[in-house]
Amino acid sequence: MAEVKRKEHPGESTRGSVKKVKTESTKKVRSITPPPDLEAQTDSDPIVESETTEQSGDDDGVSWPSDDEEEDGSRDKNGRKNLDNRVELSNHSNGSRKVAESGNLSNGSHNPTASKEAHAKQKAVAQERKAAKPNADSIARAKKLWERLRIQSKVPLEERKQLIAELFDIITGRVKDFVLKHDSGRVIQTALKYGNSDQRKLIARELKGEYRGLAESRYAKFMIGKLLVHGDDEIKDLVLPEFYGHVRRMIKHSEAAWILDDIYRGAATPKQKAILLREWYGAEFAIFRPETDHKPQSELRILLAEHPEKRAPIMRSLFELINQLVQKKTIAFSMLHDAMLQYYLNVVPGSEEATEFVELLKGDEEGDLVKNLAFTKSGSRLVSLALAYSNAKDRKLLLKTYKNTIETLAFDAHGHQVLLAAYDVIDDTVLTAKSIFGEFPTKETKQGEGGQHADLFNYVTNLNARIPILYLFVNKPSSILPAEDIGLLKEIHNIRSTTSKKDPDIRRKELAKALSPTLLSYIANNAEVLVQNSFGCQFISEVLLSADGDKSETLQAIANLTEANGETPDYLQTPAASRMLKALASGGRFNPKTKTIDLADPPLKFNDMLYDKLGSHIVAWMTGVNAFVIVGLLESVDFSHKTELKALIRKHRKDLQKAVGEIGGPNAKAKEEKSMEAGKKGIRLLLKMIEN
C-alpha cells in the first residue's frame, strides 16, 4: 500500500522519508463505522492529507481538520480539535492505517436511544404536516373506513353497506379533492366498487366538467377507469363527451393517453369510437363534429371520396401524429393501430407515401412497433398487408422482426394471421420454414419423457395455435379458420397475384414438406394422448392425409390402439375418433362434387393394418358406434379384404338388424346420443351395402 506522508514543519526532525500529498479540496469526513476488513479498505481507498492540514510536532501520524472545519469540531484537554469524533491512525510499520471512533462511539457501539428519539421527532413532524393539509381530518377518517372495506372476504354485506354510507357522508362534496391524491384516490375507487348505482352517479355528476383534467392526473386517471368499469351507459355518456375535441392532445399526454386508449378499446360504443378516431384526421374534425343523431363516419376511404380536395392535409395530419407517437415509443395503443391501418389502406402501393410508411415500420430497430401491431385486429391486418405488398427484402426484414415471438403469435387471436400471411406471400420457403418452424416445438421425444413435445400438444389443442400448423395440411381451410381469417386471406391472395412469383400450391407443398417429419414423429409417439381429444383426432387425420414422407410407423401406431388391453378403448368410441379412423380407412377425403374419395398420394394402406388388428372385435365394431369405420373399409378402393369383410357382414346380418333397435336404448346418456345415432346410420348403410 502506498505510504501516507505528513507535512514537515521547519526545524522538525524527519523520521524516514516524508512526502507531501495534495488533494483537490478539503472536505469534512463524516463519522462512520469501520469496515470489517480495514486493511483492504485502506489499500483501495487511501486517506491523504490536504495542504491545509496541520499536525503536531510529534510524529504520531494523526491527521487534523483544517481551519475551515474548526467550528464544527471540539478540542480536547490538549487543545487538539476533535472533528466528528473521528481519528485516523497511521501504522508506520506496514503503511496501513486504521479508522477508530472516539467520543461516544469509541468502542464501536451506537446510541439506540438517540436514534429512536430522532425517528420519533421525524414522525411527529410528518404528522403535523399532514394535519395542516386541507381535508386532512376527512381523508384520515375515510382511509380508516377504506382499510376495513378493502378486505372483501371479511366484511359482512350489511356491515359493508353501513361503511359505504359513512364513507359517502365524508366524501360527498369533496370528491375532486380526494381523487387527486394517491391514497385518498383509492378511497374513491373503493366507493365506486361497492357503492350502488345512485351512489356511483353521485360521484360522476360531482366530477362533471373535470374529466379531461383528471385523465391527465397521475392518480385520478385510475378513478375514471373504475367509473367506466362499474358505471352504466349514463355515466359513460357523462365522461366520454368531455374528451371530444381534445383527442390529439390527450393521445400525446403521458398519463391521459393510456386512459383514453382504454376507453376507446373497452368502453366506447362504435359511434363514440368513430368520433374519437376522426380527430386524428385533422383539427377540422375536432372542431366540427357530426350531429348527435347522425352516425359518424370514421372510414378514411369514404371521407376522402366525399372530399377529394382535402386528401393532402388529412393524410399529412394523420401521418404526422402517427410519426410523433412512434418516435415517442408510445406504440401499444389500439387507437394508434386503427389510425395506421386507415392511413395504409388509402396510400397508393409503390407511391412515396407507401414507401415512407413502410420505412416507418422498419425504422424501429428493436422491432417493438411491428411486434405490437401483430396483437390487435387492425395491427395484424396492417402487417399482413405490408407483407403482401412489400418486396422480398422488406418481407425478410419484417419476418425477422418476429424472432423469438413466433409462439406468442401462434396462440394469439390476431397474431396467428401474420404467420398465415407469411406462408402465403413469401416465396423463399426455406426462409419461412427456418424463421417460423424453427420456433415450433420440434424435439422428438416420446410420451412421458417431457421435452418440447408437451408444448406441441398445447399447439394442437388450442383454438388459435393449431391454425398455423394445420393450415398447410387441410384441404378445406374454412374447416379450421374463423370468418375474419378467411376474409383477410382472400384480400392477401388478390394482392399476391401481382407481388409474388411462386405458384401457391408449390409454396404450400414445400412448407408442408418441411414441417411433416416433426409432426409424423410426434403422432407416432403420442397417438394415445391425441385421440382422446377432438382437436387431436382432426390433427391426426389432416396430417396423415397430406404430409410428405414415410407414414408407415405413424399409421401402425394408430392401428395398435384398437387392441389396447384386448378390447376397444373408450376413447376410440367417440364421434371424433370414429371420423378420424373412417378417413384413414378410406384412404383419402370425400369429394362432395364427385361423390368419390380423393385418395392420398402415396396410398396410406391403413385399411389392411386396421383390419388385421381388429380381428375378433370386428363384429362389435360393425354393430356399435364405430360402424362407419367399417363403411370406410368397404369404400376404400385398395382394401384387399373387401370380399371377406362383406361375407362376414352377411353372416351377422341378424346381429346388425337387432343392433339398429338396441343401440343406445332408453338408458343411454344424453352425452352419448349423438355417437349412438351415428352408429345406427352406419349399421343401416352396411346393411344396404351388402345387398348390392
Side-chain angles (χ1 to χ4, degrees), residues 401-420:
T401 305
Y402 292 108
K403 185 177 181 180
N404 300 324
T405 318
I406 299 299
E407 180 179 354
T408 311
L409 289 175
F411 282 88
D412 188 75
H414 305 296
H416 74 270
Q417 296 175 348
V418 176
L419 301 180
L420 302 185

Side-chain angles (χ1 to χ4, degrees), residues 428-442:
D428 188 351
T429 54
V430 175
L431 170 67
T432 306
K434 183 179 179 181
S435 301
I436 298 178
F437 302 159
E439 295 190 29
F440 285 167
T442 56

Side-chain angles (χ1 to χ4, degrees), residues 26-29 48-56 62-75 79-88:
T26 303
K27 297 181 180 179
K28 177 180 176 180
V29 183
V48 297
E49 298 176 88
S50 77
E51 288 186 314
T52 58
T53 303
E54 296 180 0
Q55 293 186 345
S56 66
V62 180
S63 299
W64 300 103
S66 65
D67 294 335
D68 296 335
E69 299 168 335
E70 182 175 350
E71 61 182 9
D72 294 325
S74 61
R75 295 181 179 271
R80 290 191 289 190
K81 299 173 214 168
N82 182 8
L83 176 62
D84 257 355
N85 300 323
R86 179 166 179 160
V87 181
E88 299 180 6

Side-chain angles (χ1 to χ4, degrees), residues 5-289:
K5 309 296 182 180
R6 62 182 178 82
K7 185 175 179 181
E8 291 185 53
H9 292 278
E12 203 178 281
S13 62
T14 304
R15 301 178 183 177
S17 174
V18 179
K19 184 178 180 181
K20 180 170 63 176
V21 181
K22 294 184 178 181
T23 59
E24 294 181 359
S25 62
T26 303
K27 297 181 180 179
K28 177 180 176 180
V29 183
R30 294 183 179 179
S31 176
I32 61 173
T33 303
D37 190 355
L38 294 175
E39 188 171 64
Q41 176 73 14
T42 53
D43 282 342
S44 61
D45 188 18
I47 301 176
V48 297
E49 298 176 88
S50 77
E51 288 186 314
T52 58
T53 303
E54 296 180 0
Q55 293 186 345
S56 66
D58 297 331
D59 191 4
D60 53 8
V62 180
S63 299
W64 300 103
S66 65
D67 294 335
D68 296 335
E69 299 168 335
E70 182 175 350
E71 61 182 9
D72 294 325
S74 61
R75 295 181 179 271
D76 60 14
K77 61 182 181 179
N78 295 324
R80 290 191 289 190
K81 299 173 214 168
N82 182 8
L83 176 62
D84 257 355
N85 300 323
R86 179 166 179 160
V87 181
E88 299 180 6
L89 302 177
S90 175
N91 189 330
H92 294 282
S93 61
N94 55 14
S96 64
R97 290 168 296 131
K98 299 180 180 179
V99 180
E101 300 293 337
S102 64
N104 293 332
L105 302 181
S106 60
N107 58 358
S109 63
H110 78 266
N111 190 344
T113 305
S115 178
K116 289 181 180 179
E117 291 176 354
H119 284 299
K121 290 180 180 179
Q122 292 175 355
K123 190 173 182 179
V125 171
Q127 293 293 341
E128 291 176 3
R129 289 175 179 173
K130 285 184 179 181
K133 292 181 179 180
N135 300 312
D137 182 59
S138 299
I139 292 175
R141 288 189 293 128
K143 285 172 67 176
K144 289 182 179 179
L145 295 174
W146 171 71
E147 285 289 345
R148 179 66 176 158
L149 278 168
R150 69 192 185 101
I151 309 176
Q152 181 177 357
S153 61
K154 297 183 180 180
V155 182
L157 179 61
E158 292 301 322
E159 182 182 352
R160 183 184 298 121
K161 289 181 179 179
Q162 183 180 354
L163 292 173
I164 285 293
E166 294 179 21
L167 182 59
F168 270 88
D169 289 340
I170 296 173
I171 65 176
T172 300
R174 304 186 182 95
V175 174
K176 183 181 176 182
D177 297 329
F178 273 58
V179 297
L180 293 174
K181 297 179 175 63
H182 74 94
D183 50 356
S184 56
R186 298 194 180 195
V187 174
I188 302 299
Q189 293 179 43
T190 302
L192 287 169
K193 181 177 180 180
Y194 295 118
N196 57 38
S197 179
D198 292 336
Q199 289 170 329
R200 290 168 183 158
K201 290 177 182 178
L202 185 148
I203 293 176
R205 294 191 188 101
E206 189 169 328
L207 294 174
K208 185 177 180 181
E210 304 291 339
Y211 287 111
R212 183 171 66 86
L214 296 177
E216 297 176 356
S217 169
R218 183 177 180 182
Y219 305 111
K221 65 179 181 181
F222 298 111
M223 187 278 304
I224 297 179
K226 208 78 167 181
L227 190 63
L228 294 172
V229 168
H230 297 287
D232 54 14
D233 292 340
E234 181 181 344
I235 292 178
K236 293 177 183 178
D237 291 338
L238 280 174
V239 177
L240 270 171
E242 295 194 16
F243 298 155
Y244 296 162
H246 307 284
V247 172
R248 294 178 67 89
R249 178 175 181 268
M250 292 180 68
I251 198 65
K252 292 184 286 186
H253 192 278
S254 59
E255 303 294 345
W258 295 101
I259 192 64
L260 176 64
D261 190 69
D262 285 344
I263 293 172
Y264 176 84
R265 184 178 65 253
T269 64
K271 179 179 178 180
Q272 292 168 335
K273 291 177 70 173
I275 295 174
L276 295 173
L277 186 59
R278 282 167 59 96
E279 295 192 25
W280 287 64
Y281 304 152
E284 174 186 348
F285 296 91
I287 298 173
F288 303 103
R289 293 189 293 276

